[in-house]
């Protein structure tokens, strides 16, 4: 911690020189724990006592929308059908672009090999001459009848496509002997594919696969009997096909009707999503659906989901041949693989590890730190790894698809430090802030084929999908329209990480209040009347950054004293950030760290930070509902003198004693009628960042026990956990808990008894926040009084001035509530 007591001295004649002196002490070496002034030591001036210099208003922070793949229902679902429904309900748009097949061939598919450009007609003639085409019956010979008239199973009937594919490839090689086949085509029936997470629940009927000589027979077809044997054998089928080797998953139906078409779409969206989610080497993937003879081609990147208009593969044979030629001889990059990240080895945990290039340097992954954002098909797909470089140094690598026009994270860091340096004594402030930020040592945009990878310019040849009219992804049926579903609350996660840093991305532009959006529509619902037919498309580019420091997140830290230590450091970092006119906007337990090497706290993930002068309007942002401020969840001011009440002047801050209830400010309240004119828009301000810090500590105390003093009432704790950390964008339980002085007192009845000292500190934190909210919003709706934002000093006073607090916290070692549940049942649990 800072070796300085942050107590404000109102009678200081030279506050700037006092702050400079304090900063000199701040940058001195820090003792192991908090410093308390001796009996003859004068109090030091506060670093945190100056008002911010904000302009009249911040840019508007748009409403957020919960991603289905971040929900507890998705993470814990045992049935793939449930996952598909959640995916279509929360993560993919209800309306998508539909483009022509010819345009798909021109802009989306891999280009034809140059040697084949003028030979498509020759190949067509040869197919007819060799009997692959039944000219008399005007159909493919492999399909004596249309699939709708066939009596065999889909996996047998559509094997004819593989026959055609291999015939096309063979003829192409006869014409140009130097051609090298890179991908084959398999029709397997619904067989699961393998990933390092085990047997996958993605079961495409067919797919293209990196070309090998097995497991195909002499005709180039998968032996159906062998597949059935492998499927019945269990694990044998799992590893027969790896999700890391396949592309262009396909779903088939013998008959064509609305229900079957919708089923194919739901399955294909899930199949394509799984490819992007499980394989970090993928940039995009193709897909295909066929109902009877009606064929649609699909494309999915982290920014775009689109399909083609239908064509008849039986009649429009030239298009099918053109498709097969493009896929069979394509480069891996043109099929969606990223050449700058390659598989390196299997780790000790049986997870795949990778070699990744960043700015000309190479790093080998050791383990995944976070990859939950990648579960959602359309979004930033943020992945974070612990990595090692060629010299043996441990670092952290972050891989993300950023919105076009949004600044890279290392540049945001530079911009923050530049604004800090503009403050009086800013150079010293900047040096202090650097100590609490991660240090980027390598960074840059990812390049593919010499071009900075981009979801529009590179993947779609510069085509802007927003120019297309939209069509329904799922065709509504009368039965589907009667169904509704609500969000499912999240209990304790099935694994430790499943609640950690769940990213949100997306926006419901028509609903400024997301909490009003229940019950939610299902994936099969029709859009509301008046729904815009234009896509809200977020063009993205690929970016990586490597940070020097490897630290432990608050989730993983077991020492409660270290957690409070880190939090206190982060609050000081936020003061400098807020003083310079910036807000972080994504404070969560996943980006507050304990850095053991320097015995300090660190704050990370500045990609959503915004300066008050930034007038850019990005309508997609990421937040973590567990830690979002109540007002940020509601996207409206809620204190505003407690629901449009007029609050009189409030004293600056309560007296920070050991008993909090007797020291709360008294509010003199009268009703008034608000004016509807000149209402200040909602924006994310420093108090919202600070409230997120408060929620982090609440989360830690609710989701952990003291290893030596378990919760006396785990059922009551679970009930409150479900209310406060449901994962839903519904803020009333959180707002009530934040504004209720009795809430933390009641928590003593069901949390570990040794948490009392932590709850004392939290109550001080809560009271200061509540007071600041009330004072800053008393002038609402005309304006928000920004002079009450810098309350950081008041939040820290008890921690910094009373070493007894930290001494008591140092005796507490945390264990997750799941572990204590096992302990109650008689199992042994070893603390870290």
């Amino acid at each position: 911690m800072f070796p300085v007591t942050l107590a404000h001295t109102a009678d200081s004649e030279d506050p700037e020189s006092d702050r400079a002196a304090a900063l000199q002490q701040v940058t001195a070496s820090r003792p192991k724990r908090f410093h308390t002034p001796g009996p003859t030591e004068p109090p030091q001036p506060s670093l945190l006592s100056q008002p911010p210099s904000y302009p009249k208003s911040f840019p508007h922070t748009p409403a957020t929308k919960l991603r289905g793949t971040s929900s507890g229902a998705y993470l814990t679902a045992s049935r793939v059908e449930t996952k598909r429904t959640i995916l279509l309900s929360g993560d993919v748009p209800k309306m998508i672009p539909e483009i022509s097949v010819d345009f798909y061939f021109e802009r989306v598919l891999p280009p034809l090999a140059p040697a084949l450009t003028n030979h498509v007609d020759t190949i067509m003639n040869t197919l007819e001459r060799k009997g692959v085409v039944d000219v008399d019956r005007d159909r493919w010979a492999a399909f004596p009848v249309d699939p709708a008239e066939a009596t065999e199973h889909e996996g047998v009937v559509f094997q004819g496509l593989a026959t055609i594919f291999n015939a096309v490839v063979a003829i192409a090689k006869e014409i140009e002997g130097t051609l090298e086949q890179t991908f084959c085509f398999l029709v397997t029936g619904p067989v699961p594919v393998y990933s390092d997470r085990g047997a996958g629940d993605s079961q495409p009927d067919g797919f293209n696969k990196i070309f090998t000589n097995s497991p195909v027979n002499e005709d180039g077809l998968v032996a159906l009997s062998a597949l059935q044997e492998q499927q019945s054998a269990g694990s044998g089928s799992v590893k027969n096909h790896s999700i890391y080797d396949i592309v262009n998953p396909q779903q088939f139906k013998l008959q064509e009707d609305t229900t079957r078409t919708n089923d194919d779409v739901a399955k294909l969206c899930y199949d394509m999503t799984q490819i992007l989610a499980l394989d970090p080497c993928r940039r995009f993937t193709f897909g295909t659906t066929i109902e009877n003879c009606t064929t649609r081609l699909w494309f999915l990147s982290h920014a775009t989901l689109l399909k083609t208009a239908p064509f008849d593969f039986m009649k429009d044979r030239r298009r099918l041949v053109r498709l097969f030629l493009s896929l069979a001889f394509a480069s891996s990059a043109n099929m969606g693989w990223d050449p700058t990240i390659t598989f390196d080895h299997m780790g000790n945990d049986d997870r795949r590890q990778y070699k990744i290039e960043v700015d000309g340097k190479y790093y080998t992954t050791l383990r995944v730190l976070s990859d939950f954002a990648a579960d959602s098909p359309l979004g930033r797909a943020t992945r974070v790894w612990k990595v090692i470089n060629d010299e043996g140094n441990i670092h952290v690598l972050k891989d993300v698809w950023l919105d076009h026009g949004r600044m890279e994270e290392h540049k945001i860091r530079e911009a923050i430090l530049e604004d800090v340096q503009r403050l009086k004594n800013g150079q010293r402030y900047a040096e202090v802030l650097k100590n609490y930020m991660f240090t980027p040592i390598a960074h840059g945009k990812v390049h593919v084929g010499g071009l900075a990878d981009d979801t529009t310019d590179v993947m779609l040849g510069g085509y802007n999908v927003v120019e297309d009219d939209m069509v329904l992804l799922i065709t509504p049926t009368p039965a589907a329209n009667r169904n509704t579903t609500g969000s499912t609350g999240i209990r304790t996660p099935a694994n430790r990480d499943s609640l950690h840093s769940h990213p949100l991305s997306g926006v419901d532009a028509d609903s400024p209040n997301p909490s009003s959006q229940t019950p939610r529509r299902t994936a099969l619902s029709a859009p509301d009347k008046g729904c815009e037919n234009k896509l809200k498309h977020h063009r993205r580019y690929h970016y990586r950054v490597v940070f020097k420091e490897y630290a432990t997140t608050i989730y993983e830290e077991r020492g409660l004293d270290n957690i409070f230590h880190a939090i206190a450091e982060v609050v000081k970092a936020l003061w400098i950030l807020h003083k310079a006119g910036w807000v972080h906007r994504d404070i969560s337990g996943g980006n507050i760290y304990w850095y053991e090497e320097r015995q300090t706290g660190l704050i990370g993930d500045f990609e959503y930070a915004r300066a008050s002068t930034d007038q850019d309007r990005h309508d997609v942002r990421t937040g973590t509902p567990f830690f979002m401020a109540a007002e940020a969840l509601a996207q409206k001011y809620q204190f505003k003198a407690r629901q449009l009440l007029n609050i009189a002047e409030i004293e600056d801050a309560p007296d920070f004693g050991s008993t909090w209830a007797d020291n709360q400010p008294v509010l003199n309240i009268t009703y008034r009628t608000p004016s509807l004119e000149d209402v200040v828009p909602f924006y994310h301000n420093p108090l919202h960042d600070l409230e997120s810090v408060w929620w982090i500590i609440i989360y830690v105390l609710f989701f952990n026990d003291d290893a030596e003093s378990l919760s006396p009432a785990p059922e009551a704790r679970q009930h409150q956990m479900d209310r406060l950390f449901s994962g839903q964008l519904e803020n009333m339980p959180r707002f009530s808990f934040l504004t209720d002085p009795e809430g933390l007192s009641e928590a003593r009845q069901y949390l570990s008894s040794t948490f009392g000292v932590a709850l004392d500190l939290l109550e001080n934190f809560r009271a200061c926040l509540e007071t600041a909210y009330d004072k800053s919003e008393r002038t609402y709706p005309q304006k928000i009084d920004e002079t009450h934002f810098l309350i950081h000093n008041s939040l820290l006073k008890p921690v910094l001035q009373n070493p007894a607090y930290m001494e008591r916290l140092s005796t507490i070692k945390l264990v997750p509530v799941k572990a204590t549940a096992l302990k109650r049942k008689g199992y042994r649990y070893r603390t870290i």
Side-chain angles (χ1 to χ4, degrees), residues 204-232:
D205 294 322
F207 43 78
N208 290 98
K209 183 177 180 179
I210 295 174
F211 180 68
T212 60
N213 293 323
S214 62
V216 296
N217 60 23
E218 62 273 12
D219 297 322
L221 305 179
V222 174
L224 187 60
S225 59
L227 286 174
Q228 290 169 338
E229 291 175 2
Q230 293 167 356
Q231 192 169 10
S232 64

Side-chain angles (χ1 to χ4, degrees), residues 231-469:
Q231 192 169 10
S232 64
S235 61
S237 67
V238 174
K239 296 190 178 182
N240 189 62
H241 300 295
S242 165
I243 201 165
Y244 309 108
D245 299 331
I246 71 171
V247 67
N248 190 32
Q250 308 195 17
Q251 291 291 339
F252 307 135
K253 289 288 188 296
L254 298 178
Q255 306 288 335
E256 180 181 11
D257 57 39
T258 299
T259 300
R260 289 179 173 87
T261 299
N262 285 344
D263 186 64
D264 271 357
V265 170
K267 289 178 178 178
L268 183 71
C269 286
Y270 186 76
D271 294 340
M272 293 193 297
T273 294
Q274 287 295 95
I275 289 175
L276 296 189
L278 297 178
D279 189 356
C281 300
R282 303 303 183 93
R283 302 151 51 229
F284 59 83
T285 186
F286 307 108
T288 304
T289 56
I290 302 178
E291 295 81 39
N292 189 17
C293 299
T294 302
T295 307
R296 294 175 179 86
L297 308 179
W298 297 73
F299 173 85
L300 175 67
S301 71
H302 291 298
T304 305
L305 172 63
L306 61 80
K307 67 174 180 177
T308 67
F311 71 95
D312 187 328
F313 81 85
M314 196 72 70
K315 302 298 183 184
D316 198 348
R317 293 184 289 273
R318 193 179 193 281
R319 277 181 170 161
L320 188 66
V321 170
R322 169 69 169 80
L323 172 68
F324 285 168
L325 289 172
S326 290
L327 298 176
F329 303 103
S331 68
S332 60
N334 284 335
M335 291 290 273
W337 271 265
D338 182 348
T340 66
I341 174 171
T342 56
F343 170 73
D344 189 78
H345 68 280
M346 293 299 294
N348 294 331
D349 57 355
D350 291 328
R351 299 293 293 269
R352 292 166 64 92
Q353 305 302 331
Y354 299 90
K355 180 83 72 174
I356 305 176
E357 179 186 356
V358 184
D359 195 22
K361 305 178 181 67
Y362 291 88
Y363 302 85
T364 303
T365 64
L366 298 176
R367 72 181 181 98
V368 173
L369 300 180
S370 176
D371 63 357
F372 302 103
D375 287 344
S376 186
L378 299 173
R380 300 188 174 203
T382 304
R383 289 182 169 94
V384 183
W385 287 277
K386 178 181 179 181
V387 298
I388 186 170
N389 65 6
D390 293 338
E391 289 75 38
N393 299 317
I394 303 298
H395 302 297
V396 171
L397 188 154
K398 182 175 183 179
D399 180 284
V400 61
W401 289 85
L402 291 174
D403 298 294
H404 183 73
R406 189 177 288 277
M407 194 183 300
E408 299 101 311
E409 190 166 353
H410 72 278
K411 292 184 179 179
I412 294 176
R413 182 181 185 273
E414 294 171 358
I416 290 172
L417 293 173
E418 287 177 3
D419 284 350
V420 169
Q421 290 172 355
R422 294 190 180 96
L423 300 173
K424 190 169 184 179
N425 294 314
Q427 188 62 41
R428 293 188 178 183
Y429 286 142
E431 291 303 315
V432 173
L433 183 57
K434 285 181 183 178
N435 291 329
Y436 302 129
M437 302 172 79
F438 286 86
T439 308
I441 59 174
H443 47 74
K445 295 180 179 180
V446 177
H447 285 69
V448 175
L451 300 174
D453 206 5
D454 181 285
T455 58
T456 297
D457 285 349
V458 175
M459 296 182 189
L460 298 178
Y463 173 62
N464 187 358
V465 296
V466 300
E467 297 172 359
D468 277 307
D469 288 335

